[in-house]
Amino acid sequence: MMNSIPSTLPLSRLVTDMQESATLKMAKMARELKAQGKDVIDLSLGEPDFDTPVHIKEAAKKALDDGYTKYTPVNGLVELREAIVRKLARENDLQYTINQIVVSNGAKQSVYNLCMALLDPGDEVILPAPYWVSYYEIVKMAGGVPVIAYSSIEQDFKSSPDDIEALISDRTKFILYSSPCNPSGSVFSFEELRAMASMLQAYPHVIVVSDEIYEHINFTQNHHSMASMEGMKDRTVIINGMSKGFAMTGWRLGYTASPDWIAEACTKIQGQVTSGASSFGQKAAAVALDSDLTPTHDMVKAFHTRRDLIISLLEQIPLLLVNRPQGAFYIFPDVSAYFGRTSANGYHVSNADDMALYLLAEARVSTVSGGAFGNDKCIRLSYATSDAKLKDAAARIAQALSILN
Ligand SMILES: Cc1ncc(COP(=O)(O)O)c(C=O)c1O
């Protein structure tokens, strides 16, 4: 008998083992309900609700007119990498050369390049939780093993050096975290980073990957990078990008600053996967980085006001434990006091996944379960939306929670 081709060819183990991005999934569900005419407030997506500042858009238009329509070097236009080097010196007091910068199609690709470049099967990556959803899946995709350092709202969601040290093994390749943090909004202080750096002196084989993409959205005014800590620059990779601080999520531009050997390896990976990021986008990003940051500061002021608003609204809900985020535009309340309860219409909530689905069904508010971020007691709400929507969303959440008994 001849071999017949099955109608459904088997998918790879890699993709079948992979979780769909929980944030994108909730946003998709919210969009679908909206398309059915349902009045949904979407607090699930991680992007500023502001438009890209006009001068950046103008720079992209000019770049197109000037003929920037071709491939760029894989690691980015020299002009953009020079602007990034200037930014790091000016804002972070860190000296890099342009060869240590790799520009990618979003910081998400920077994380991907890095994991592919550094991890062998079985290598461990310590993820202080709550962590950004994609870290976990990208580490796994690269054959790595995520090792989770759990933390609670009582610790302001910040793992201590002891928590991390307890998880370091011979197989630990790097520690990967974001500060300001998605999803908690927590920010590591100078002292906390210094303590972590000091603990790491005993483990020279461990690299730190410091995702600073929310750097500018920081209400403490004090951003610190692990790369600035004594003895750490040569073993730290900074991840940053244009998406959050410049409201450029759709432009897909991120970058790393790292030791040369890591930059070379990331460039090699990227050269076989996507090549360089978009040419005219890179030209505009260079202008954005060299420009006055007033539009960014105005946006951050709005986020700060909304942060205070959402805290005050959520704190009025009886059993909710509310954190006080210092940056980014997310809040990560602990909803576990409601677990084990059932609504009047028969919906049982036993964990954070149930809670996110319940709030979407009952309150028509889209949030994301903390389960996807390594914390199954909390849900993430993005407050990158108008005051009116935040007030409406909080009132609907309060109502939905009040009928859980
Ligand atoms: C912590 C963190 N890192 C990286 C990214 C990726 O950003 P982008 O790929 O848009 O540059 C995000 C986006 O949500 C994020 O929250």
Side-chain angles (χ1 to χ4, degrees):
M1 210 174 94
M2 272 174 47
N3 281 340
S4 58
I5 297 174
S7 58
T8 319
L9 288 167
L11 293 169
S12 69
R13 190 168 303 156
L14 185 140
V15 77
T16 42
D17 285 354
M18 187 188 293
Q19 291 294 321
E20 180 184 352
S21 162
T23 48
L24 299 182
K25 186 169 151 194
M26 285 305 284
K28 193 168 127 207
M29 284 168 75
R31 263 200 313 273
E32 282 166 4
L33 285 173
K34 275 188 198 165
Q36 292 166 20
K38 304 266 165 50
D39 164 29
V40 175
I41 302 177
D42 188 357
L43 304 186
S44 61
L45 249 188
E47 65 183 338
D49 54 326
F50 296 90
D51 196 4
T52 304
V54 172
H55 68 284
I56 304 175
K57 293 202 272 191
E58 290 303 328
K61 291 179 200 167
K62 180 170 183 314
L64 278 172
D65 289 341
D66 290 347
Y68 278 86
T69 56
K70 309 282 189 209
Y71 289 131
T72 71
V74 172
N75 54 354
L77 286 172
V78 168
E79 189 178 329
L80 173 55
R81 285 182 290 133
E82 283 174 348
I84 293 168
V85 165
R86 281 194 291 278
K87 175 255 176 261
L88 288 162
R90 189 177 59 240
E91 295 180 6
N92 310 96
D93 198 18
L94 285 167
Q95 313 307 321
Y96 285 92
T97 66
I98 60 166
N99 293 337
Q100 296 176 316
I101 310 296
V102 180
V103 176
S104 300
N105 298 274
K108 194 177 259 189
Q109 189 184 19
S110 306
V111 176
Y112 176 83
N113 288 344
L114 207 61
C115 289
M116 296 306 274
L118 292 181
L119 297 176
D120 278 326
D123 282 347
E124 294 173 3
V125 176
I126 297 179
L127 300 179
Y131 47 76
W132 181 44
V133 276
S134 294
Y135 295 157
Y136 192 93
E137 291 303 323
I138 298 176
V139 166
K140 269 191 356 191
M141 227 189 287
V145 179
V147 176
I148 314 302
Y150 292 99
S151 69
S152 64
I153 197 164
E154 289 77 19
Q155 287 169 269
D156 192 22
F157 302 113
K158 289 191 271 188
S159 299
S160 68
D162 287 348
D163 299 334
I164 303 285
E165 186 171 20
L167 299 174
I168 294 178
S169 76
D170 293 345
R171 293 303 305 261
T172 307
K173 227 17 184 312
F174 55 90
I175 301 168
L176 168 57
Y177 64 84
S178 58
S179 177
C181 173
N182 176 5
S184 66
S186 300
V187 173
F188 280 123
S189 67
F190 178 82
E191 290 71 26
E192 286 162 341
L193 288 176
R194 192 173 52 183
M196 192 78 77
S198 153
M199 176 276 287
L200 287 170
Q201 296 314 308
Y203 306 96
H205 67 292
V206 178
I207 291 168
V208 175
V209 181
S210 165
D211 183 341
E212 304 178 18
I213 196 156
Y214 293 96
E215 165 179 21
H216 291 117
I217 309 171
N218 183 334
F219 315 129
T220 70
Q221 316 292 345
N222 272 320
H223 175 77
H224 297 286
S225 173
M226 182 59 94
S228 318
M229 301 300 129
E230 205 181 325
M232 291 308 293
K233 182 157 175 274
D234 289 343
R235 50 194 285 216
T236 298
V237 180
I238 294 177
I239 294 186
N240 209 327
M242 309 307 293
S243 285
K244 316 290 177 171
F246 297 89
M248 291 173 70
T249 47
W251 296 62
R252 314 307 305 124
L253 286 165
Y255 61 87
T256 49
S258 69
D260 295 81
W261 62 277
I262 296 180
E264 280 159 25
C266 289
T267 305
K268 190 171 169 187
I269 300 279
Q270 185 164 302
Q272 294 292 16
V273 183
T274 57
S275 301
S278 102
S279 48
F280 51 93
Q282 291 187 56
K283 284 284 282 185
V287 169
L289 290 171
D290 279 337
S291 303
D292 171 62
L293 288 182
T294 302
T296 300
H297 294 151
D298 289 347
M299 187 170 71
V300 174
K301 261 188 229 150
F303 286 141
H304 199 163
T305 309
R306 292 172 187 175
R307 193 246 358 213
D308 292 345
L309 174 67
I310 193 81
I311 289 178
S312 71
L313 294 168
L314 295 181
E315 275 181 348
Q316 290 168 33
I317 301 177
L319 299 179
L320 222 54
L321 278 179
V322 183
N323 68 315
R324 200 174 176 79
Q326 300 294 315
F329 37 71
Y330 310 103
I331 189 157
F332 203 54
D334 182 320
V335 292
S336 61
Y338 291 95
F339 295 171
R341 296 184 174 218
T342 307
S343 70
N345 51 7
Y347 199 108
H348 187 70
V349 175
S350 50
N351 54 39
D353 289 4
D354 290 348
M355 181 60 92
L357 291 172
Y358 172 65
L359 292 177
L360 186 58
E362 181 63 35
R364 299 271 185 245
V365 177
S366 166
T367 60
V368 187
S369 164
F373 303 96
N375 182 315
D376 56 12
K377 288 183 163 183
C378 299
I379 56 171
R380 188 193 78 173
L381 285 70
S382 160
Y383 52 86
T385 191
S386 68
D387 288 8
K389 282 198 177 149
L390 291 177
K391 285 181 192 160
D392 194 3
R396 293 189 200 185
I397 291 173
Q399 164 62 21
L401 293 180
S402 74
I403 58 165
L404 283 176
N405 285 299

